[in-house]
Each structure stands twice: as C-alpha cells, then as structure tokens.
C-alpha cells in the first residue's frame, strides 16, 4: 500500500477509535508526548499497560475464584486496573472497571463475576484494535 | 529505581522525584516532567522515595546522591506507604519539609484532598495527569520563592477569579457534598481556607 493510502488508513482508524469511544483525550496526551527523542513512546506505554493488565486480570480471576471472596483485595486490583486504563485513555475499559467496582462495593459476587466478563471483553477488543492501529502507524512511518 | 545519571546536572533545572507504584503512570509522569524541562527520578514506593532522599534511619538526613530534589510528586494510593504517609514523613523532617509535595490521585474524594492539603501538600492533582497540570505545578513551584505578602495578594486575586469561575464550571468531577463557604474578607488569607479554595479551583479547572 502506498504512503498516502497508509496515512489515510491510519487517520481513519484513529478517528474511529475516538468516535466509537474506545479512546479518549488522555490517549492524545500520550501522542503529544511522543517526539524524536522518544519515537516509540506511545507503543512503550501501551506495552506496559498490556503487561500490567495481564497480571491484574490474573489476580482478579484468582480473587474471584477464592471463597470467601475478598472484596477489598478485588477492589484494590480493579483500582489499579482502572488507573492504568485511564492513564492511557482506554475509555470503555475504564468505564467497565468503574461498573465492576460498584458491584465490589456492594459485595455482590454475581455482579462482580458478570461485570468482570465485560471488563475482559472490552480489554480484549481494545488490545486488538490498538495492536492493529499501532502496527499500521509503524508501517506508515516506515514507508518511503 | 532510576537514578539520575548525568554527571553535570544543570542547577537551573528543577529536579523532580516522582513516586508511583504503577509502571504506566511512572512512565507517563516521567515524560510529562522531561518535556517540561525537569530532571526526573522515578521510584515505585514511598520507602524508595525516602531512601533516595536519604531519610533512612540508617543514613540520617543526608541525601546520598547529592542532587537536590526541588519537588516531589507522589501517587496517593500505593501499597505499603501511601502518598499521604510519605507526605507526612517529609513534612515532619527538618531537612526536607521545605520541599513542595504534590499528591496525585485517581479518586476525587474531598476528605482525602482536605487531609493532604492540611498536611502541607502543595496541590492535589486528579489523575490522569495532563501536561497542563504539570505545567501549572511548575509555575507554582517557581513562584514559590515569593514573599508571603506577594503570595497573599496572589491568593486573593485567585480567590476572586475562583468566585467568578465557579459559576461557569461544568466539571462533572466536583464532589456533591457542599464545600465550605469562602470567607468574605480577603484579610482572612492567613487561614488555610482561601488557599484551600484556591486549590479546589485548581481541581475544578482540571478538565
């Protein structure tokens, strides 16, 4: 694909990520922080986010499977997850985390379990979209 | 823990110590500060922060790396020592109490904000932290060298701006509990409340 078409593709993917509410303003903050001294900044932050998220998802799974459920611990993990998703501008994921925490506060195990499915789903969708988007960005920047 | 590596640190650059247990947030705050021309050291915990400052019991109150810290920005919710506890330790130390401390938190809880400000925090930033937040903190840091008189006048001016701003503020993060009434007389600047509402204004300005 030639340079112009790639750049158009990047622009339209980016627009769609924002229009569909996957990303918010905070992602733009990250993009603005990327420069020649740190040309992979966004990718690096996002990678840290994936690593943190994988760990936290595992911790939350474990916590949800233990009996009795430690809602304090659950809330703590989810607070961390919400924090990092909010820091990268992952809007939908952050919202699902908020919903989860409400069930947690109410000590509603059923609600937590259901809500966590939503969190994981949104996270998986975002991760896939971001990977494709950032890969396209890389391709576009490498094309002469 | 990332230790400042340059041998010749510029004296005119602010050296900021950023404390956060989140990898993502450490990376972001580091970049925000570097872009704002600061030297940055990031650590992952309050304990590490105290070690870096040299506030270890073993080491006494002398910093071990010789690079003066001009500002501390710390997350509130951290395992082990919270940002609040770190703030208290710093403000209660004769060697480091003058260092301005800024608290960052994803949770906009009024009582939390109040206790941090009361314990001597310079500002309370609601996460996610943006470049405009960092720039404002930098400005405030630079202006810190002012005399008390100038500061009082600045507070009163901002209080006036705050009153005018409050009516048009539409931030959804404003806590719903009634805020304490602003004092009507500017001469009460000696109390914490005008500065308090100044900092609340900064909160409302966020977003």
């Amino acid at each position: 694909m030639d340079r112009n078409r790639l750049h158009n593709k990047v622009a339209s993917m980016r627009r769609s990520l924002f229009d569909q509410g996957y990303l918010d303003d905070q992602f733009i903050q990250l993009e603005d922080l990327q420069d020649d001294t740190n040309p992979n900044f966004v990718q690096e932050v996002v990678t840290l986010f994936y690593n943190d998220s994988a760990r936290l998802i595992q911790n939350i799974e474990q916590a949800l499977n233990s009996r009795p459920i430690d809602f304090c611990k659950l809330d703590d993990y989810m607070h961390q997850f919400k924090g990092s998703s909010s820091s990268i501008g992952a809007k939908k994921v952050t919202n699902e985390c908020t919903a989860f925490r409400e069930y947690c506060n109410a000590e509603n195990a059923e609600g937590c379990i259901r809500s966590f499915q939503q969190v994981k789903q949104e996270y998986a969708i975002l991760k896939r979209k971001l990977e494709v988007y950032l890969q396209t960005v890389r391709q576009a920047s490498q094309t002469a | 823990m990332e230790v400042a590596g340059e041998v010749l640190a510029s004296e005119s650059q602010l050296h900021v110590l950023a404390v956060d247990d989140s990898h993502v947030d450490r990376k972001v705050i580091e970049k925000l500060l570097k872009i704002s021309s600061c030297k940055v050291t990031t650590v992952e915990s309050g304990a590490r922060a105290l070690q870096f400052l040299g506030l270890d019991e073993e080491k006494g109150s002398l910093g071990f790396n010789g690079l003066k810290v001009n500002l501390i920005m710390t997350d509130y919710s951290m395992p082990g020592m919270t940002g609040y506890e770190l703030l208290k330790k710093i403000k209660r130390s004769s060697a480091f109490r003058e260092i301005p401390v800024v608290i960052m938190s994803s949770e906009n809880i009024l009582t939390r904000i109040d206790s941090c400000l009361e314990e001597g925090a310079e500002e309370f930033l609601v996460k996610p932290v943006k470049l405009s937040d960092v720039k404002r903190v930098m400005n405030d840091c630079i202006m810190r060298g002012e005399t008390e008189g100038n500061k009082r006048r600045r507070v009163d001016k901002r209080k006036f701006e705050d009153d005018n701003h409050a009516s048009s503020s539409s931030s959804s993060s404003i806590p719903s509990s009634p805020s304490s009434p602003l004092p009507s007389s500017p001469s009460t600047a000696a109390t914490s409340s005008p500065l308090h509402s100044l900092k609340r204004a900064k909160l409302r300005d966020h977003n």
Side-chain angles (χ1 to χ4, degrees), chain A residues 71-88:
Chain A
F71 288 101
C72 256
K73 208 187 255 189
L74 258 185
D75 187 65
D76 191 43
Y77 289 140
M78 194 46 89
H79 168 81
Q80 292 178 53
F81 197 177
K82 183 182 167 186
S84 46
S85 61
S86 150
S87 291
I88 71 151

Side-chain angles (χ1 to χ4, degrees), chain B residues 46-141:
Chain B
R48 288 288 206 199
L50 292 176
Q51 265 183 336
F52 182 80
L53 288 169
L55 263 177
D56 259 356
E57 285 75 47
E58 299 134 68
K59 293 193 172 95
S61 65
L62 292 173
F64 76 87
N65 78 331
L67 254 188
K68 191 169 132 79
V69 168
N70 304 113
L71 168 68
I72 297 167
M73 295 186 74
T74 178
D75 186 27
Y76 183 95
S77 310
M78 297 186 291
M81 194 188 303
T82 66
Y84 178 67
E85 286 158 357
L86 175 62
L87 166 69
K88 281 200 288 190
K89 285 191 153 63
I90 289 164
K91 290 302 167 186
R92 283 162 202 198
S93 112
S94 48
F96 299 106
R97 70 160 65 102
E98 287 308 306
I99 304 179
V101 180
V102 170
I103 308 282
M104 305 176 283
S105 174
S106 54
E107 286 163 322
N108 194 3
I109 301 171
L110 200 54
T111 49
R112 177 180 292 191
I113 298 165
D114 280 352
S115 15
C116 288
L117 296 180
E118 259 148 49
E119 202 58 46
E122 209 61 27
E123 291 220 34
F124 187 100
L125 299 178
V126 179
K127 283 181 164 185
V129 177
K130 296 169 160 26
L131 189 57
S132 53
D133 296 322
V134 171
K135 286 191 144 61
R136 196 183 64 225
V137 166
M138 294 301 117
N139 282 337
D140 289 354
C141 236

Side-chain angles (χ1 to χ4, degrees), chain A:
Chain A
M1 200 181 282
D2 75 9
R3 195 170 196 269
N4 281 336
R5 284 187 67 192
L6 259 179
H7 279 269
N8 287 342
K9 190 177 180 199
V10 166
S12 106
M13 286 175 86
R14 187 177 175 283
R15 210 167 26 241
S16 144
L17 283 167
F18 284 99
D19 287 348
Q20 290 174 20
Y22 289 103
L23 295 177
D24 66 25
D25 225 55
Q26 190 61 21
F27 190 80
I28 299 175
Q29 287 279 323
L30 297 187
E31 289 176 316
D32 286 348
L33 289 174
Q34 185 160 289
D35 57 23
D36 292 336
T37 68
N38 212 170
N40 297 314
F41 179 72
V42 176
Q43 179 64 69
E44 287 168 10
V45 177
V46 168
T47 302
L48 281 177
F49 170 65
Y50 296 153
N51 293 343
D52 276 0
S53 302
R55 181 181 48 88
L56 287 165
I57 285 173
Q58 199 173 37
N59 289 340
I60 294 168
E61 297 271 20
Q62 268 172 1
L64 278 173
N65 285 333
S66 55
R67 296 288 177 275
I69 292 182
D70 184 344
F71 288 101
C72 256
K73 208 187 255 189
L74 258 185
D75 187 65
D76 191 43
Y77 289 140
M78 194 46 89
H79 168 81
Q80 292 178 53
F81 197 177
K82 183 182 167 186
S84 46
S85 61
S86 150
S87 291
I88 71 151
K91 193 174 177 187
K92 289 197 186 199
V93 175
T94 305
N95 289 342
E96 293 301 337
C97 291
T98 304
F100 179 95
R101 291 185 81 197
E102 271 162 37
Y103 286 114
C104 219
N105 283 339
E107 300 204 348
N108 179 344
E110 277 278 322
C112 282
I113 290 166
R114 267 195 326 264
S115 179
F116 187 52
Q117 297 313 312
Q118 290 293 107
V119 171
K120 282 192 292 187
Q121 196 174 334
E122 284 301 337
Y123 170 73
I125 294 170
L126 175 73
K127 183 164 189 270
R128 200 169 58 236
K129 285 183 181 283
L130 265 182
E131 279 170 346
V132 174
Y133 170 66
L134 290 175
Q135 188 179 44
T136 314
V137 167
R138 265 194 306 278
Q139 279 173 347
S141 71
Q142 284 159 5
T143 308

Side-chain angles (χ1 to χ4, degrees), chain B:
Chain B
M1 175 171 123
E2 183 190 314
V3 177
E6 285 101 325
V7 172
L8 297 170
S10 161
E11 280 302 308
S12 59
Q13 259 188 324
L14 285 179
H15 178 205
V16 184
L17 177 63
V19 191
D20 202 314
D21 62 316
S22 156
H23 296 139
V24 170
D25 289 351
R26 273 203 304 282
K27 187 157 176 90
V28 174
I29 194 72
E30 179 189 44
K31 189 68 183 177
L32 285 171
L33 289 166
K34 282 191 169 156
I35 268 198
S36 307
S37 309
C38 297
K39 278 213 61 50
V40 193
T41 301
T42 58
V43 296
E44 64 194 4
S45 68
R48 288 288 206 199
L50 292 176
Q51 265 183 336
F52 182 80
L53 288 169
L55 263 177
D56 259 356
E57 285 75 47
E58 299 134 68
K59 293 193 172 95
S61 65
L62 292 173
F64 76 87
N65 78 331
L67 254 188
K68 191 169 132 79
V69 168
N70 304 113
L71 168 68
I72 297 167
M73 295 186 74
T74 178
D75 186 27
Y76 183 95
S77 310
M78 297 186 291
M81 194 188 303
T82 66
Y84 178 67
E85 286 158 357
L86 175 62
L87 166 69
K88 281 200 288 190
K89 285 191 153 63
I90 289 164
K91 290 302 167 186
R92 283 162 202 198
S93 112
S94 48
F96 299 106
R97 70 160 65 102
E98 287 308 306
I99 304 179
V101 180
V102 170
I103 308 282
M104 305 176 283
S105 174
S106 54
E107 286 163 322
N108 194 3
I109 301 171
L110 200 54
T111 49
R112 177 180 292 191
I113 298 165
D114 280 352
S115 15
C116 288
L117 296 180
E118 259 148 49
E119 202 58 46
E122 209 61 27
E123 291 220 34
F124 187 100
L125 299 178
V126 179
K127 283 181 164 185
V129 177
K130 296 169 160 26
L131 189 57
S132 53
D133 296 322
V134 171
K135 286 191 144 61
R136 196 183 64 225
V137 166
M138 294 301 117
N139 282 337
D140 289 354
C141 236
I142 292 165
M143 286 169 89
R144 259 190 125 236
E146 290 178 10
T147 61
E148 273 312 302
N150 284 346
K151 211 189 259 184
R152 190 170 301 183
R153 276 195 291 283
R154 177 167 60 94
V155 165
D156 291 341
K157 179 173 184 291
R158 285 296 295 267
K159 176 188 166 307
F160 176 74
E161 287 171 359
D162 176 22
D163 287 335
N164 286 335
H165 184 77
S167 54
S168 56
S169 171
S170 58
S171 166
S172 57
S173 68
I174 299 172
S176 56
S177 56
S179 45
S180 53
L182 299 175
S184 50
S185 159
S187 62
T188 55
T191 68
S192 62
S193 34
L195 211 55
H196 192 163
S197 57
L198 162 67
K199 284 159 182 170
R200 298 253 205 96
K202 287 175 179 168
L203 257 181
R204 283 197 284 272
D205 283 351
H206 175 81
N207 238 349

